[in-house]
Amino acid sequence: MIFWLNQAYASSFMPPQASEFAAGVDSLYKFLIITSFISCVLVIGGMIYFAMKYKRKTANDKTAYISHNAMLEFLWSFIPFVIFMIVFGWGFKIYYDMRKMPENAYEVHVVGQKWYWDFLYKSGRKTSGEFYVPVNEPVKLIISSRDVLHSVFVPSFRVKQDAVPGRYTALHFTATKEGTFQMFCTEYCGDGHSAMLAKVHVLSKEAYEEWLQNDPYKGLSVADIGKKVFDQKCVACHNMSTEKKIGPGLGGIFGHEVALADGTKVTADENYIRKSILDPASQIVAGFPNAMTPFQGQISEQELLGVIEYIKASK
Ligand code: CUA
């Protein structure tokens, strides 16, 4: 049965074990679940068994006079004590390893903000919503927040750390599997909390080093980043002039009123442009089809701000 529990636990209840902490945390957790399960069976089962065995059968049934049993009392205190001490010692060891920061780690600054994550690497590269780390190398996160409490949580790595405004917190891990893993914000931080996600990409060391040096936006101004993004992703349907293509021309629209298909009018400010990129169907411009792909999750914060600035600059 324990084997079965083990299998079921590893395969269906838990995310993949993708860091060097994962197996240790899972073993401790498994120990807690199995000891709790056994205790539960003993206590509830014993209760039902004794209730049936010693049920009063006649009105004259009297309870036997029992004052105490020193051995039993010792055992039911001592056995749980030993189990709790094992859990404490084991948990302390794992916690200690998690808190002891490695010396030669790849350091990455992680900044939380309503409602996205920014990542700043030593090479000067910046990403939002996408986090790149090397496999089998210690990585240290220096975490902060620009506004309220957030919390970094990567279930596959079994690590979690709050992002606190006004101070730095730290977290480290060594990813053991290449691939893509989900990172969550796990501190309720407002109505965008559940969308405050990031993808952790674990690359081979060589690919990672190359990635670090290969910043496509190196040295570019925000608007120039926007131009680069625009020329790759937007230019098939939009012009940066007043001329329309499949979609409206975007030249000089910033700050002007836009008539929408539902008859309302909005001012084309940063929020309007952002929303039009991430969720275009929510505000179709009058006279145009609902044809644009939503870019939610397809474009980084840096690229998004770039496009906004590029549109702004196109007077
Ligand atoms: Cu940030 Cu929840």
Side-chain angles (χ1 to χ4, degrees):
M1 190 202 67
I2 288 187
F3 176 76
W4 175 83
L5 260 182
N6 212 12
Q7 290 308 101
Y9 183 86
S11 60
S12 47
F13 300 140
M14 301 298 276
Q17 297 181 337
S19 86
E20 60 171 13
F21 295 136
V25 171
D26 285 3
S27 305
L28 174 57
Y29 206 66
K30 226 176 319 187
F31 177 79
L32 283 171
I33 287 181
I34 291 170
T35 47
S36 304
F37 182 76
I38 294 171
S39 316
C40 180
V41 169
L42 288 178
V43 171
I44 306 291
M47 195 177 79
I48 294 169
Y49 172 74
F50 288 126
M52 294 198 310
K53 181 162 188 210
Y54 295 106
K55 184 178 187 301
R56 189 159 80 156
K57 301 198 173 68
T58 67
N60 289 332
D61 244 357
K62 293 272 190 305
T63 305
Y65 178 73
I66 302 167
S67 63
H68 68 279
N69 182 322
M71 192 57 188
L72 263 182
E73 285 168 19
F74 171 74
L75 284 179
W76 78 48
S77 307
F78 188 71
I79 294 173
F81 172 73
V82 170
I83 294 173
F84 287 137
M85 286 316 287
I86 292 173
V87 172
F88 169 73
W90 194 345
F92 181 79
K93 166 81 176 78
I94 295 172
Y95 182 75
Y96 182 82
D97 290 344
M98 283 180 165
R99 297 316 307 166
K100 191 170 176 295
M101 295 298 153
E103 301 268 313
N104 305 314
Y106 281 85
E107 289 189 353
V108 182
H109 279 268
V110 179
V111 186
Q113 176 168 357
K114 293 184 199 172
W115 285 282
Y116 57 88
W117 295 103
D118 277 336
F119 303 92
L120 291 133
Y121 307 81
K122 278 282 168 75
S123 70
R125 239 193 128 151
K126 261 189 247 170
T127 54
S128 296
E130 309 279 333
F131 181 23
Y132 290 83
V133 298
V135 73
N136 296 327
E137 295 287 334
V139 176
K140 180 177 170 189
L141 278 56
I142 301 158
I143 303 164
S144 56
S145 166
R146 290 200 188 98
D147 39 40
V148 298
L149 280 177
H150 302 279
S151 188
V152 172
F153 180 35
V154 186
S156 298
F157 297 171
R158 313 289 191 272
V159 291
K160 177 149 75 170
Q161 175 63 52
D162 276 8
V164 185
R167 86 152 77 140
Y168 294 110
T169 53
L171 177 71
H172 80 95
F173 58 77
T174 300
T176 52
K177 278 197 178 98
E178 287 180 36
T180 300
F181 303 95
Q182 187 66 53
M183 172 174 146
F184 295 92
C185 174
T186 185
E187 180 71 59
Y188 183 67
C189 54
D191 64 0
H193 162 69
S194 62
M196 194 169 163
L197 307 167
K199 290 261 184 265
V200 186
H201 302 282
V202 182
L203 309 178
S204 73
K205 193 177 176 197
E206 299 72 42
Y208 185 68
E209 289 289 352
E210 197 184 313
W211 181 88
L212 273 183
Q213 300 311 326
N214 241 334
D215 185 353
Y217 303 135
K218 200 170 197 162
L220 294 184
S221 72
V222 182
D224 284 345
I225 292 173
K227 180 175 185 340
K228 206 161 174 179
V229 176
F230 188 89
D231 290 346
Q232 283 167 3
K233 302 191 185 202
C234 317
V235 81
C237 306
H238 294 281
N239 263 322
M240 201 45 97
S241 66
T242 48
E243 211 176 299
K244 63 180 187 182
K245 270 180 155 176
I246 297 168
L250 302 177
I253 62 157
F254 193 85
H256 291 92
E257 276 206 330
V258 179
L260 298 183
D262 63 5
T264 57
K265 284 189 170 170
V266 287
T267 304
D269 59 5
E270 286 93 345
N271 283 313
Y272 166 78
I273 297 171
R274 180 187 180 90
K275 202 169 171 202
S276 294
I277 295 171
L278 299 179
D279 182 17
S282 68
Q283 34 188 14
I284 298 297
V285 175
F288 288 93
N290 178 5
M292 180 169 156
T293 331
F295 275 79
Q296 184 77 58
Q298 312 294 315
I299 185 170
S300 77
E301 197 63 32
Q302 190 186 26
E303 292 168 333
L304 189 55
L305 293 177
V307 173
I308 293 173
E309 288 304 318
Y310 182 44
I311 291 174
K312 234 193 235 188
S314 69
K315 292 271 155 87

